[in-house]
Amino acid sequence: TEMSALALVLSPEDQLRKPGSAGTAVVNSETRIVDEADRPVGPGVEGEIVHRSPHATVGYWNDPEKTAEAFRNGWFHSGDLGVVDEDG
């Protein structure tokens, strides 16, 4: 919900070719996998999924601490783990 209605999409052909994938970033959205220091990791390396987009919420209602933690360094930190493959 923090990223509006959609951040990633998986095409029909990739649903069969890459089962379990979340897809690639939609227009006006960026997604990365980062390490504990918020540095992007390479293909095949597990890390936290982060997003940024002009469609993202600006924060949590009346919770500036949670907002600061989740939206640090210009990216929304989902708390979810993921891996990017060689196709992105």
Side-chain angles (χ1 to χ4, degrees):
T1 57
E2 289 89 342
M3 290 301 298
S4 186
L6 186 62
L8 302 167
V9 67
L10 188 63
S11 66
E13 58 274 6
D14 282 343
Q15 291 176 22
L16 296 174
R17 197 168 66 89
K18 296 181 178 273
S21 176
T24 56
V26 298
V27 174
N28 293 325
S29 180
E30 294 177 78
T31 297
R32 287 184 178 172
I33 307 296
V34 298
D35 64 16
E36 298 82 19
D38 291 343
R39 295 178 302 232
V41 299
V45 179
E46 184 179 80
E48 183 183 14
I49 302 168
V50 298
H51 306 278
R52 69 178 172 189
S53 170
H55 303 290
T57 186
V58 295
Y60 297 108
W61 180 256
N62 289 331
D63 199 337
E65 293 83 19
K66 185 174 180 180
T67 298
E69 173 62 24
F71 292 87
R72 63 186 184 275
N73 299 323
W75 293 83
F76 166 65
H77 289 254
S78 70
D80 296 323
L81 296 177
V83 176
V84 172
D85 70 9
E86 63 282 347
D87 295 329

